[in-house]
Amino acid sequence: MTALTDLATAVGTGHVEVIDLTAPLHSDTPILQLPQQFGQTEPFQLHEISRYDDRGPAWYWNNITTGEHTGTHFDAPVHWVTGRDGDDVAAIAPSRLIGPAAVVDHAAESAADPDFLLEVEHLEAWQAEHGPLPSGGWLLYRTGWDARADDPDAFANADANGPHTPGISPTCARWIAEQTDLLGLGVETVGTDAGAAPTFEPPFPCHAELARSGKYGLTSLRNLDRLPPTGAVVIAAPLPIVGGSGSPARVLALVERDS
Ligand code: MN
């Protein structure tokens, strides 16, 4: 297995850089807020059990409470009604948690228009330049939104009409589901759908199409600007919550450097 020996050596020397695509997880980590008639997810919280005190003189530990879909997290197919017979997050084969990354960069368009939507033409143009989207790989959609991730209001970017965050058009979501062999889609925003997606026809098309086709979602990613358009390998590691619809995940990218 020289490939693995070579990989370990390359990580040690920095020839392969490990880039963390994960947002820190804390009580202010932005979470999705749905219209008030719906059930709501809870923020991440630590609940101290003991800290070198009467409750445990030599040890520090916490309980945690969190929604499954908090911070950088993984959407399993069963998250959406269109994938209700699909895999829960614990059922996903571990070999499907690692794959090559295709990075599309629309940060400039998203800065100019926070409601920017990725279209099929954008992906066709990317493929014309970089080759086909990778079978068994991740499509990572850079919008620059991670720069807002420490400010929940700027991250949600909501007004009286709801949130304004970039996403994917219904046609493009269907195209990804039906015309690609991707593992799934990763985004920098709080969810895979655009902020305005509740008003789309159909609503939440990205969730619906990814789940219908057995594909996965990754959200609240960071540092996509440090990845090349092709050549990175992504490891997305959700907790194996039995029956879970998703999980906070540690998402790492391996990138080969020249030096
Ligand atoms: Mn989610």
Side-chain angles (χ1 to χ4, degrees):
M1 293 300 286
T2 56
L4 289 180
T5 308
D6 290 349
L7 173 62
T9 301
V11 169
T13 61
H15 182 65
V16 168
E17 185 182 3
V18 182
I19 297 176
D20 199 344
L21 307 185
T22 317
L25 197 50
H26 51 69
S27 60
D28 292 325
T29 294
I31 55 174
L32 186 65
Q33 280 208 301
L34 293 177
Q36 63 178 18
Q37 68 267 33
F38 298 118
Q40 304 292 336
T41 188
E42 289 186 19
F44 181 87
Q45 281 191 293
L46 291 177
H47 308 278
E48 192 174 280
I49 304 171
S50 69
R51 192 161 192 162
Y52 331 122
D53 54 25
D54 290 347
R55 299 168 298 171
W59 51 93
Y60 166 54
W61 58 340
N62 301 290
N63 290 314
I64 61 173
T65 53
T66 184
E68 294 171 326
H69 298 256
T70 295
T72 302
H73 72 270
F74 193 105
D75 286 355
V78 75
H79 178 42
W80 216 253
V81 65
T82 51
R84 64 192 305 164
D85 298 322
D87 281 344
D88 67 58
V89 72
I92 295 167
S95 62
R96 292 176 60 78
L97 301 178
I98 178 167
V103 183
V104 298
D105 187 346
H106 294 279
E109 294 96 323
S110 301
D113 174 12
D115 292 307
F116 174 78
L117 297 180
L118 190 71
E119 300 286 357
V120 174
E121 300 80 70
H122 297 121
L123 295 179
E124 288 176 337
W126 188 95
Q127 292 192 115
E129 185 176 356
H130 300 290
L133 291 170
S135 184
W138 296 99
L139 176 62
L140 302 183
Y141 175 26
R142 172 165 159 70
T143 56
W145 219 253
D146 62 340
R148 300 167 176 248
D150 291 323
D151 180 341
D153 288 339
F155 197 60
N157 199 37
D159 63 16
N161 297 317
H164 297 276
T165 62
I168 296 183
S169 79
T171 303
C172 188
R174 194 174 319 118
W175 186 90
I176 289 170
E178 296 179 356
Q179 304 297 323
T180 79
D181 288 321
L182 292 162
L183 286 173
L185 168 73
V187 300
E188 297 173 338
T189 44
V190 74
T192 55
D193 266 297
T199 68
F200 290 0
E201 186 53 49
F204 302 106
C206 198
H207 280 88
E209 294 294 345
L210 290 174
R212 185 199 315 281
S213 60
K215 293 181 169 62
Y216 315 134
L218 292 172
T219 80
S220 298
L221 297 174
R222 293 190 171 189
N223 295 322
L224 297 186
D225 60 322
R226 297 176 60 194
L227 304 185
T230 65
V233 170
V234 167
I235 302 164
L239 298 175
I241 301 170
V242 175
S245 73
S247 165
R250 194 70 183 257
V251 183
L252 304 174
L254 306 180
V255 178
E256 197 162 353
R257 298 301 183 198
D258 292 334
S259 56

